[in-house]
Amino acid sequence: MNDLGTASVAALRQYVRAATTAGIDIAPLFRASGLDTAILESDEGRIEGDRFQHFIRLLCELTGNPLLGLETGDFVQPGSWSVLGYITMSCATLGEAVARIAPFEKLVGDMGTTRMSLSGDHIRLVWHCNYTDPQVRPQMVDNVFASWITYARWLADDPLTSPIEVQLQRQSPGESRLQDYARRWGCPVIFGSTEDAILLHRALLDTPLRQPDPLLRKTLEAHALSQLASLDSGSKLASRVRHSIRQQLLQGITRQDMVAEHLGMTSRTLQRKLSHEGVSYQQLLDEVRQKMAEDYLCNSELAIPDIALRLGYSETTSFHRKFKAVTGKTPGEFRQFETNPKT
């Protein structure tokens, strides 16, 4: 089983555009990493993550460019992020666009995961890279952050929009390279941080975007959900059940029989198959509820009773009790800590 999952051809194309612009013949790189150049003709094709990582490593070695990830961010396009890119392009504000990253980024690939938190007037976007190659990982982080910043400037039609600060886990590349980062991103860049993160002014989330289209966005999101379900269909049953539960909870419903029917089986069969994977339906429901509860508390201003209702709790007290049993904090205490850690 490929531990690095898969990556969309759209993500691969961004690196290919950068390479061909630099005059690099990509054919030998494709052969060496076990890829077929014909895949570039596919709009929704996917490649194995370990092959994608190997391709980027070969590109790093061939160019010897320590700023490869930073510079490939210049080649971002809406299509670089598959359907997610077009969803963000049709959003009304930058905040709407940012909120779509985490739910749909798997469509781009399994390269990493995004987490957003609020703290006073600041937004913190953390990206955890799943790739393990020490030569590839920093270039991948640079590419993601450079792409985010470049694309956000294009969406907002404001080339001067910049973060407050960018934080990178790896050690400083030296003073001369620091200037390259600061010049491109227009903000201080702190190396040796605990996480790879971008800090933004919260007010930036209200920035209007150039091409809002709410009807198109809803259509694209429906298509994206269908694609996510297709990706999950080949994974373990537990993953498919989690996805189905989440889709139900987004509609304010939580019914095991409906999940089973969606997966083409009876509730009894579902329970039996889950037990073979060492889990129960209730465990998966609790996991999804907890994750969604934390997302709502950190990234929305919904009242706690409303969150409890959305998660299928008949009483707010039941939500409080369950949440505190997992985190050691009430929902209110958790929200206060996450949005203002110093208190």
Side-chain angles (χ1 to χ4, degrees), residues 25-97:
D25 182 6
I26 63 166
L29 300 182
F30 269 65
R31 286 194 297 271
S33 51
L35 295 170
D36 184 346
T37 54
I39 192 69
L40 295 173
E41 304 302 319
S42 170
D43 288 332
E44 296 185 353
R46 299 186 76 82
I47 60 176
E48 293 179 2
D50 57 352
R51 295 183 189 276
F52 187 33
Q53 178 174 248
H54 189 46
F55 174 84
I56 298 172
R57 181 181 180 86
L58 292 173
L59 189 58
C60 290
E61 292 173 347
L62 180 63
T63 62
N65 181 5
L67 300 178
L68 178 69
L70 190 65
E71 293 175 359
T72 53
D74 293 344
F75 294 86
V76 68
Q77 298 175 352
S80 302
W81 292 325
S82 188
V83 69
L84 172 58
Y86 298 108
I87 289 173
T88 55
M89 192 167 66
S90 62
C91 288
T93 65
L94 188 59
E96 274 190 11

Side-chain angles (χ1 to χ4, degrees), residues 26-201:
I26 63 166
L29 300 182
F30 269 65
R31 286 194 297 271
S33 51
L35 295 170
D36 184 346
T37 54
I39 192 69
L40 295 173
E41 304 302 319
S42 170
D43 288 332
E44 296 185 353
R46 299 186 76 82
I47 60 176
E48 293 179 2
D50 57 352
R51 295 183 189 276
F52 187 33
Q53 178 174 248
H54 189 46
F55 174 84
I56 298 172
R57 181 181 180 86
L58 292 173
L59 189 58
C60 290
E61 292 173 347
L62 180 63
T63 62
N65 181 5
L67 300 178
L68 178 69
L70 190 65
E71 293 175 359
T72 53
D74 293 344
F75 294 86
V76 68
Q77 298 175 352
S80 302
W81 292 325
S82 188
V83 69
L84 172 58
Y86 298 108
I87 289 173
T88 55
M89 192 167 66
S90 62
C91 288
T93 65
L94 188 59
E96 274 190 11
V98 169
R100 265 67 186 175
I101 296 175
F104 296 118
E105 66 184 331
K106 185 177 177 65
L107 294 176
V108 184
D110 298 305
M111 291 82 77
T113 53
T114 303
R115 185 178 78 251
M116 183 176 78
S117 61
L118 307 177
S119 179
D121 294 331
H122 296 164
I123 305 291
R124 182 176 170 82
L125 286 174
V126 177
W127 193 68
H128 172 74
C129 182
N130 292 331
Y131 282 17
T132 54
D133 187 307
Q135 190 168 354
V136 172
R137 186 184 179 95
Q139 303 299 338
M140 178 68 74
V141 173
D142 282 1
N143 169 271
V144 169
F145 284 2
S147 297
W148 280 359
I149 294 169
T150 299
Y151 191 57
R153 287 169 173 168
W154 180 82
L155 283 177
D157 198 16
D158 183 358
L160 299 180
T161 296
S162 295
I164 298 171
E165 181 178 278
V166 175
Q167 301 166 359
L168 299 173
Q169 285 184 297
R170 65 184 179 282
Q171 296 305 307
S172 172
E175 189 61 33
S176 62
R177 297 302 183 197
L178 277 174
Q179 297 306 314
D180 292 317
Y181 284 86
R183 184 166 52 252
R184 279 177 173 270
W185 292 344
C187 67
V189 180
I190 310 301
F191 289 85
S193 300
T194 57
E195 294 179 305
D196 295 309
I198 294 180
L199 196 65
L200 305 166
H201 288 291

Side-chain angles (χ1 to χ4, degrees), residues 225-330:
L225 288 172
S226 175
Q227 286 189 320
L228 284 173
S230 177
L231 289 177
D232 284 343
S233 64
S235 62
K236 290 184 178 180
L237 178 61
S239 296
R240 296 164 61 196
V241 171
R242 288 188 189 94
H243 176 76
S244 187
I245 289 173
R246 178 178 174 82
Q247 300 315 305
Q248 275 199 5
L249 290 175
L250 289 173
Q251 306 298 320
I253 308 169
T254 169
R255 286 179 49 183
Q256 180 179 340
D257 60 326
M258 290 177 65
V259 171
E261 183 179 355
H262 174 72
L263 297 175
M265 62 188 77
T266 66
S267 292
R268 185 184 295 273
T269 300
L270 176 62
Q271 287 283 28
R272 185 179 70 253
K273 289 188 173 183
L274 285 175
S275 69
H276 290 161
E277 293 189 9
V279 295
S280 68
Y281 178 83
Q282 187 62 48
Q283 285 176 290
L284 299 179
L285 175 60
D286 289 344
E287 286 178 17
V288 175
R289 274 177 161 171
Q290 183 64 31
K291 179 64 168 62
M292 292 180 69
E294 292 177 7
D295 285 344
Y296 282 135
L297 290 167
C298 291
N299 303 320
S300 81
E301 296 181 356
L302 285 171
I304 289 173
D306 291 337
I307 294 175
L309 186 63
R310 288 185 179 217
L311 296 179
Y313 289 96
S314 57
E315 297 180 356
T316 305
T317 52
S318 300
F319 173 49
H320 273 256
R321 185 167 56 251
K322 192 76 173 180
F323 192 91
K324 188 170 184 179
V326 174
T327 65
K329 300 182 180 70
T330 66

